[in-house]
């Protein structure tokens, strides 16, 4: 996903309207998970916060017969795993309120929200102040999912160090290249990063490629980290020119070449988080991997909403 960069400051909710809290009987997470094909709405109490969940029977993946309820259950079950990748980070809400086959839209500005939703005020490239929602608790995550946010797209930095990312990533995008080339380029990335003493962690994108994360201490600004990532991508392409490239133009790439994309490390850009569901056919999820799984030929389709080892 590509988003415009933003600059700005952390502030309160002065421009965000307080959404009216829905009244009614609440249920616990265990009670929610035990429901059988529920219809209509529910109010979930979790962490002392009341989350209004609506249209639970709405089809999100029609072909797979998976509903909004199924998606909410998935995120509840993986909440302990995904929240470390989300907590205290601004969110780009990529909303599919009618499911993956209906139109979607991006939401950056938060006009109204429940009291438990934290926001951060930033100024975008057009000079407009934007209130980004922030991932803080499982309740905040479920609220965003209820809005139709199938995928979770956090910033690469937290509120504590908004201008300093705590990881960079390389996105291995195959387009027309065969899958075994993606795996091969991932291993070249590992070699390059190993030589520099940089620990690297792969995951499936949940779409078509592999993401490689390199954790950092939040010490340097986005521009410097992005330049380093671009240099590393170029080195990977130099070492494996037959299967790797940093050429952005698809028309100028060879069909067997995997695009080593470092361009998503700019401030305000995002990718799907680890454990995020994807709004893709097959209801795939973006799953952390071991390097041994890469070597053995792991596939995107190994990890779906139904087949993943979690949820």
């Amino acid at each position: 996903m590509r988003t415009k960069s933003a600059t700005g400051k952390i502030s309160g909710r002065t421009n965000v309207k307080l959404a009216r809290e829905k009244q009614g009987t609440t249920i616990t997470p265990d009670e929610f998970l035990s429901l059988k094909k529920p219809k209509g709405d529910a109010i979930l109490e979790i962490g002392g916060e009341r989350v209004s969940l609506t249209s639970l029977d709405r089809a999100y993946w029609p072909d797979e017969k998976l509903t909004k309820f199924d998606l909410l259950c998935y995120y509840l079950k993986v909440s302990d795993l995904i929240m470390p990748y989300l907590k205290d980070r601004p969110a780009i809400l990529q909303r599919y309120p009618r499911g993956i086959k209906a139109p979607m839209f991006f939401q950056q500005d938060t006009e109204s929200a429940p009291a438990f939703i934290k926001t951060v005020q930033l100024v975008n490239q057009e000079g407009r102040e934007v209130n980004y929602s922030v991932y803080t608790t499982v309740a905040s995550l479920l609220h965003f999912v209820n809005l139709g946010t199938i995928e979770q797209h956090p910033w690469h930095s937290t509120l504590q160090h908004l201008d300093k990312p705590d990881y960079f990533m390389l996105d291995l995008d195959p387009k027309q290249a065969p899958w075994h080339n993606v795996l091969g380029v991932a291993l070249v990335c590992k070699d390059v990063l190993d030589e520099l003493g940089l620990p690297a962690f792969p995951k499936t994108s949940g779409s078509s490629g592999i993401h490689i994360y390199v954790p950092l201490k939040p010490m340097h600004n986005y521009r410097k980290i992005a330049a380093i990532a671009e240099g590393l991508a170029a080195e990977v392409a130099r070492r494996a020119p037959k299967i790797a490239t940093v050429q952005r133009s698809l028309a100028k790439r060879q069909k067997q070449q995997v695009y080593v994309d470092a361009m998503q490390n700019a401030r305000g850009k995002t990718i799907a988080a680890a454990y995020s569901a994807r709004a893709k056919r097959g209801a795939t999820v973006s799953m952390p991997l071991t390097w041994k799984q890469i070597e053995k030929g792991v596939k995107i389709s190994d990890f779906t909403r139904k087949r993943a080892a979690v949820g």
Side-chain angles (χ1 to χ4, degrees), residues 82-189:
I82 195 173
M83 283 307 299
Y85 297 96
L86 304 178
K87 186 173 172 57
D88 294 333
R89 299 177 188 271
I92 303 291
L93 304 183
Q94 186 174 349
R95 295 177 57 181
Y96 296 79
R98 298 286 174 181
I100 69 168
K101 292 194 172 183
M104 58 77 69
F105 63 96
F106 295 105
Q107 179 183 334
Q108 296 183 35
D109 198 15
T110 304
E111 296 182 356
S112 65
F116 59 82
I117 296 299
K118 186 173 185 176
T119 62
V120 55
Q121 192 175 80
L122 304 172
V123 178
N124 66 14
Q125 286 185 327
E126 289 76 32
R128 186 169 66 91
E129 290 188 344
V130 174
N131 292 298
Y132 282 79
S133 292
V134 177
Y135 295 103
T136 53
T137 62
V138 177
S140 70
L141 168 61
L142 296 179
H143 170 73
F144 301 148
V145 175
N146 186 65
L147 296 176
T149 308
I150 291 175
E151 304 181 355
Q152 308 310 315
H153 287 265
W155 273 38
H156 306 321
S157 55
T158 66
L159 297 184
Q160 291 79 10
H161 305 279
L162 199 57
D163 295 316
K164 297 175 180 178
D166 53 18
Y167 62 83
F168 70 80
M169 53 78 59
L170 299 176
D171 180 3
L172 309 186
D173 183 1
K175 285 296 188 283
Q176 299 172 315
W179 178 247
H180 63 83
N181 283 6
V182 179
L183 301 177
V185 173
L187 292 173
V188 175
C189 291

Side-chain angles (χ1 to χ4, degrees), residues 20 56 78 85 88 91 110 142 150 201 204 206 213 217 262 270:
R20 181 176 298 178
L56 296 176
V78 302
Y85 297 96
D88 294 333
T110 304
L142 296 179
I150 291 175
F201 301 90
T204 65
Y213 278 74
K217 292 183 179 179
T270 67

Side-chain angles (χ1 to χ4, degrees), residues 56-76:
L56 296 176
D57 55 331
R58 178 167 293 163
Y60 269 17
W61 288 269
D63 293 344
E64 291 77 15
K65 295 181 171 54
L66 292 172
T67 65
K68 179 194 274 193
F69 172 71
D70 295 313
L71 181 64
L72 288 162
C73 287
Y74 170 77
Y75 279 118
L76 258 179

